[in-house]
Amino acid sequence: MCLNIHPNAASNFNEKANGLIGLIEEFPIEKQKKSSFNSDLNVAASFTDKDIIGEIEVVKSDYRGNTIQQFFHFSDKKFGLSESNYSELREIAERIQSLAAVRSVLSLSFVAKKLFSWISQKYRGLNVPDLFIDYLDAEASTVIKTITSWIPIANLEVETAFTVSGSEIRPFSKTVIDKWAAEVEGLAGENKENALKLFEQIRKDYQGLAAVVTTTTSEPGYANDYALEEAQKITAVLGIFSGATLMPDIKCVSNIKGSELIAQSTTFIVGDEDTFQMTSGIIDKASAKYWRLGQRDIIEIQKTGLDTISSILMSDSPTNFEESILNAIFLYSKSAFTADPVEKVVYMLSSLESILLKNENEPIQQNLAERIAVFTAQELTKRKAIIKMIKSIYGVRSRYLHHGHTSSELKLISEFMMQVWIFYIQLLANVAQFSTQEEFVNAIDDHKLS
């Protein structure tokens, strides 16, 4: 078998899957709703019946795009599961997907789709395996393969490959694209011209950028989900080292290509004398900086803390303290992706509170300020200055203004950002010293009183 599921678990899930067949019911076929008004949006292409391959999936989704009902047609009638019964199907799929033999090779979407496909085919009396787990195993065996996914990072170029978490950051080089182009053109046949155009666009949009490269042995849906999750984590962590966590009014735009969010505008100007002008430009020019990481830069950020974060991300059994650090790190990283100074402060304070407070009942400002001061400074004068600064920062947070900040506020925020950076560098250097967050906070409090 492709999926090595324990016989008892397989028997349990086969029974539950079989029970879903009895929940199928008939639904009325709804007439297609007419639009309330005609759209003037440009139509780039149209689909006809000839473009449809295989059976049409009919689903009902919630406002987030999650499937909450699914249907099939049989004997000119519409059948499916009600919302509550589809919820039961999804719960069974989630439990199957959580099995050790399944969760690293199949996506939840794949398991749920195959479960619905199996019950619908059984209902129609089609020739499928009697047991769902056998059916799932057979379907999985046809699609599981080794897949390498490349997800480009906007506005980032790297000199050499390096590892973060379970993936690599690699240059999306001309050599790589040339190799892909040659392979695809060889298979394109009559569509060779279209293939050439595709790779011309790929070179234009992506060549030279860095990419998160992830390899899995799985079905394509899982490979895509896992690669995207890896890319999101890795770009978040890299953002910490971009410099945007040290400057109050710029943001890192080295995010997954397509989600970098560089603010732009287009203005159409129509004059009195039939003149017409269109202007486009970047609003936040300070944030639209290209980031290049040479080999020395990569080694430096690895030593500074990237390697430590990477090792925690790769750990199969992280300690409570390591999990607390990751939670704080990802909160901290959000400050790198906004150019609003007070938003940066909000994210940074949230991250510090998550790692430095014992519970939500203790006084926040005093304890947070004192613990940062004790952990990052030795001299009494310096500690007092840090405490005063952090209390002032809470005042800035409470005066949340988007329309501008005084020079003194920006100076205070800059000083605070540097202190937070120092805190996190020292925190990452002390990962191995503690097993739990409580141990870490108690050690700071003990040192304060010693």
Side-chain angles (χ1 to χ4, degrees):
M1 290 183 72
C2 173
L3 305 174
N4 188 22
I5 299 174
H6 192 279
N8 290 342
S11 176
N12 177 49
F13 287 121
N14 284 330
E15 183 179 344
K16 290 183 180 300
N18 205 56
L20 291 171
I21 300 171
L23 300 179
I24 292 174
E25 56 188 290
E26 184 180 350
F27 290 83
I29 297 176
E30 299 173 355
K31 293 183 179 180
Q32 187 174 357
K33 293 181 180 179
K34 291 184 178 180
S35 176
S36 58
F37 66 96
N38 294 325
S39 174
D40 198 32
L41 294 175
N42 180 55
V43 178
S46 299
F47 291 96
T48 67
D49 292 343
K50 294 179 181 179
D51 299 309
I52 299 172
I53 300 173
E55 193 171 322
I56 298 174
E57 289 187 2
V58 183
V59 300
K60 179 182 178 181
S61 303
D62 62 14
Y63 71 96
R64 293 170 295 181
N66 296 323
T67 299
I68 56 174
Q69 278 187 274
Q70 194 164 357
F71 311 96
F72 62 91
H73 289 90
F74 178 52
S75 299
D76 296 325
K77 296 179 180 179
K78 180 181 176 183
F79 298 89
L81 298 175
S82 66
E83 287 192 32
S84 60
N85 289 334
Y86 186 84
S87 178
E88 186 174 336
L89 178 146
R90 185 173 176 84
E91 185 177 337
I92 294 169
E94 286 173 351
R95 290 177 60 192
I96 294 173
Q97 202 269 338
S98 69
L99 295 172
V102 179
R103 63 174 173 258
S104 61
V105 291
L106 300 180
S107 64
L108 174 59
S109 174
F110 182 89
V111 177
K113 283 182 178 180
K114 294 305 174 182
L115 181 51
F116 186 82
S117 174
W118 182 80
I119 66 170
S120 68
Q121 291 183 72
K122 290 289 286 183
Y123 185 87
R124 288 175 285 179
L126 300 180
N127 185 26
V128 290
D130 286 336
L131 302 176
F132 171 66
I133 294 300
D134 291 345
Y135 174 77
L136 180 65
D137 184 81
E139 292 291 301
S141 66
T142 65
V143 294
I144 290 176
K145 56 186 176 182
T146 299
I147 298 171
T148 299
S149 305
W150 291 64
I151 299 183
I153 306 174
N155 304 295
L156 175 65
E157 187 177 355
V158 295
E159 182 180 5
T160 186
F162 60 101
T163 300
V164 183
S165 185
S167 302
E168 270 194 319
I169 309 297
R170 290 189 205 167
F172 204 164
S173 65
K174 181 178 182 299
T175 303
V176 169
I177 298 175
D178 284 348
K179 180 175 179 291
W180 294 356
E183 291 171 353
V184 172
E185 286 170 24
L187 300 171
E190 295 179 356
N191 296 318
K192 185 174 181 179
E193 185 177 342
N194 291 334
L196 290 170
K197 289 180 180 178
L198 170 64
F199 278 95
E200 282 177 16
Q201 193 62 45
I202 290 173
R203 293 180 202 281
K204 179 181 176 182
D205 293 341
Y206 305 110
Q207 184 173 308
L209 294 177
V212 179
V213 183
T214 308
T215 300
T216 62
T217 300
S218 63
E219 58 97 6
Y222 175 87
N224 182 73
D225 292 348
Y226 181 75
L228 186 58
E229 183 181 336
E230 280 282 281
Q232 288 169 333
K233 289 190 297 186
I234 290 168
T235 52
V237 170
L238 284 177
I240 294 172
F241 301 93
S242 67
T245 52
L246 293 171
M247 290 175 274
D249 51 359
I250 74 160
K251 69 178 179 181
C252 174
V253 288
S254 292
N255 212 325
I256 292 173
K257 178 71 172 170
S259 58
E260 58 269 29
L261 298 177
I262 299 176
Q264 301 180 60
S265 68
T266 299
T267 304
F268 298 98
I269 301 171
V270 182
D272 293 336
E273 299 177 355
D274 297 327
T275 58
F276 176 83
Q277 184 179 2
M278 182 180 80
T279 60
S280 299
I282 295 171
I283 296 172
D284 183 13
K285 293 182 180 179
S287 292
K289 297 283 182 73
Y290 203 77
W291 189 17
R292 303 184 81 237
L293 283 174
Q295 191 163 5
R296 289 184 180 180
D297 303 312
I298 293 167
I299 293 170
E300 183 62 32
I301 65 174
Q302 285 174 326
K303 289 179 178 178
T304 302
L306 182 60
D307 276 353
T308 302
I309 298 171
S310 179
S311 66
I312 299 174
L313 286 170
M314 293 181 69
S315 175
D316 292 328
S317 53
T319 65
N320 169 270
F321 187 47
E322 289 173 335
E323 288 178 343
S324 298
I325 287 175
L326 278 185
N327 180 60
I329 282 290
F330 283 120
L331 279 171
Y332 177 46
S333 73
K334 290 179 182 293
S335 67
F337 296 94
T338 175
D340 184 276
V342 182
E343 281 188 8
K344 287 180 182 284
V345 167
V346 170
Y347 286 129
M348 289 184 178
L349 286 176
S350 296
S351 72
L352 293 170
E353 289 168 6
S354 75
I355 193 72
L356 283 170
L357 296 181
K358 293 179 180 178
N359 55 63
E360 59 187 18
N361 297 320
E362 63 175 349
I364 296 175
Q365 291 188 32
Q366 187 67 28
N367 282 312
L368 184 74
E370 288 182 357
R371 286 167 186 161
I372 291 177
V374 170
F375 185 65
T376 60
Q378 300 297 323
E379 302 82 8
L380 179 61
T381 304
K382 179 63 175 174
R383 286 178 176 176
K384 286 182 176 180
I386 292 171
I387 292 169
K388 181 181 178 182
M389 174 187 63
I390 290 174
K391 288 183 176 180
S392 298
I393 279 292
Y394 271 100
V396 170
R397 187 181 74 170
S398 67
R399 301 188 300 274
Y400 199 121
L401 300 174
H402 277 289
H403 55 262
H405 310 280
T406 65
S407 58
S408 60
E409 279 183 327
L410 289 177
K411 184 174 183 295
L412 175 64
I413 292 171
S414 294
E415 292 171 356
F416 170 69
M417 293 173 76
M418 176 55 72
Q419 195 61 46
V420 177
W421 172 258
I422 292 169
F423 169 81
Y424 274 107
I425 297 307
Q426 293 187 203
L427 179 67
L428 291 169
N430 284 273
V431 170
Q433 302 301 313
F434 307 97
S435 298
T436 66
Q437 179 189 355
E438 185 179 10
E439 276 184 29
F440 171 62
V441 176
N442 286 339
I444 296 175
D445 288 348
D446 290 345
H447 188 70
K448 180 174 64 176
L449 298 173
S450 62

